[in-house]
Amino acid sequence: MRALSQSIFGKVLVPLPPLDEQKRLAGHCLEIRGQAKKLETQATAELESAKRQIEAILLGRAA
């Protein structure tokens, strides 16, 4: 098949899990996104702290 037209693509059947399973998977994805956001926030804070410590070392100040 050289290309898929909209009419052909519209006829393609895509199997979907039951609605309960879709909701469970969506909830799991949201949970993982929340964890990722917390880790990103923590990493940003630790990076800023490390920057301040390195700056203090370079400027000869106590950390």
Side-chain angles (χ1 to χ4, degrees):
M1 194 175 267
R2 290 184 218 144
L4 287 176
S5 66
Q6 283 188 337
S7 62
I8 293 173
F9 189 72
K11 295 176 185 176
V12 175
L13 298 177
V14 179
L16 295 174
L19 186 56
D20 287 345
E21 182 70 3
Q22 292 179 44
K23 289 179 180 180
R24 186 188 71 75
L25 290 170
H28 183 67
C29 290
L30 288 173
E31 183 181 328
I32 290 172
R33 283 184 182 175
Q35 291 171 358
K37 186 64 178 170
K38 286 180 186 176
L39 289 171
E40 181 182 19
T41 300
Q42 180 183 354
T44 300
E46 289 179 15
L47 177 61
E48 290 303 316
S49 175
K51 285 179 183 179
R52 286 190 299 275
Q53 290 175 13
I54 291 170
E55 183 180 275
I57 290 167
L58 291 175
L59 295 175
R61 293 186 246 145

